Amino acid sequence: MSRSPGTPRLLRRLNDRSALELLLAEGPLTRAELGERTGLSKVTAGQLLARLEDRGLVEVAGERAGGRGPNAALYGVRPSSAYVAGLEVLPESVTAGVADITGHTVAEVTVNPSDGDPVRTVQAGVERACAAADVSLSRLRAFVIGTRGMVDPRTGDVRFSLDLPAWHVGVLAGLRRTLGASVTIENDVNLVALAEHRYGAAVGVDDFVVMWAGVGQGLGVMLGGRLHRGITGGAGEIGWLPVPGEPLPSEVRQPNSGSFQRLVGTTALRGLAGAYGVPGAEVSDQVRSGGDDYLDELAARLAVGVAAVAVVLDPGLIVLSGDIGRAGGDRLAARVQDAVARICPAPPRVVTGGVPGNPVLRGALVAALEQAREQVFSDTV
């Protein structure tokens, strides 16, 4: 089959996209540096930069002193060329953030759900964040919302969320009517995996798993650099993992009835802390202050889930996140790694999540930026 040669318009668009991604990755560059890194001539690189500057996508961001000639202008992506919103939805609050196209978070706010209506609650959060960022709602190119529960990858709707019963089929359509077609809903732990891959403990690693341990248990699975969601969006619902010594659920919609949930859920860990005399009002406080024996037992429980994941997926890296994973830090991660090595033929490395701040929100902004950049950077000519 013969192929038509690339048209000049297509080639310009591909060159523009490469240049914009390079400027994001490596910071401001001179015309000569951009030409050297892209393989373009100085003349072509100059034409490209002029075109992108006319479109409002790049700007002069400074100067670099050279030899005896004049200083060279440094070009960077114009931060205000596009904005995105990311949100984390919890039963008691919604946190919304606005970031510019470079990934810099310009505002973050938290609002309380007013009347239980997901659409009005999200709209209020986005409007508050836009006001704090001094960015009009019309300038947002993408919205990504992180929620607990299963999100159907075929429709984008929330299939089931025990903690957020108002989030159900039809909510996505309502959000898109209010905010636009670029709204996406994603499982919160999947978003943590995106954040860890971009900013945290899994930078440069394309096969890893985030284990969320806290209020609820979940996995974010990254294989080949892509999220694995499963056919129905149920991949990662590790709370339902059958484990020795714990009863199987008779009704999966009953709260905290999964076998692994019974082993590492909040109620179980409060009982474990009581048995070891560990003080603290919250489970995360108990994990921080717990002694060696308590942490060893906690690690052994978490290792049951980690080993099950390792023998099926062999990811090589497990990132512990959630309230418990983050509170335990390196002390807990090292113990989980040792415990898994005793029961798993191919034990993974186990580390603590490395994303600063709110990892769900950071992941939502990562996903939104990917969408926005695809729109903005693919239509430059």
Side-chain angles (χ1 to χ4, degrees), residues 111 113-127 175 178:
V111 300
S114 54
D115 56 5
D117 181 274
V119 175
R120 281 197 288 268
T121 297
V122 168
Q123 183 179 12
V126 171
E127 289 175 347
L175 288 166
T178 302

Side-chain angles (χ1 to χ4, degrees), residues 55-88:
R55 293 295 302 270
L57 296 177
V58 302
E59 62 185 6
V60 175
E63 293 182 339
R64 176 166 293 151
R68 287 173 289 184
N71 293 345
L74 285 167
Y75 292 88
V77 174
R78 185 182 179 193
S80 60
S81 59
Y83 294 91
V84 300
L87 298 96
E88 181 191 26

Side-chain angles (χ1 to χ4, degrees), residues 3 11 16 18 53 59 73 88 91 126 133 212 286 292 307 341 347:
R3 294 186 178 181
L11 293 176
D16 290 354
S18 296
E53 194 170 12
E59 62 185 6
E88 181 191 26
V126 171
W212 182 275
Q286 294 165 349
D292 290 343

Side-chain angles (χ1 to χ4, degrees), residues 203-246:
V203 172
V205 180
D206 285 343
D207 293 271
F208 70 95
V209 169
V210 169
M211 174 175 277
W212 182 275
V215 178
Q217 296 75 44
L219 296 178
V221 180
M222 184 81 75
L223 299 176
R226 299 180 64 182
L227 284 175
H228 177 73
R229 298 176 175 86
I231 296 298
T232 67
E237 294 295 325
I238 197 173
W240 306 105
L241 178 76
V243 299
E246 296 294 334

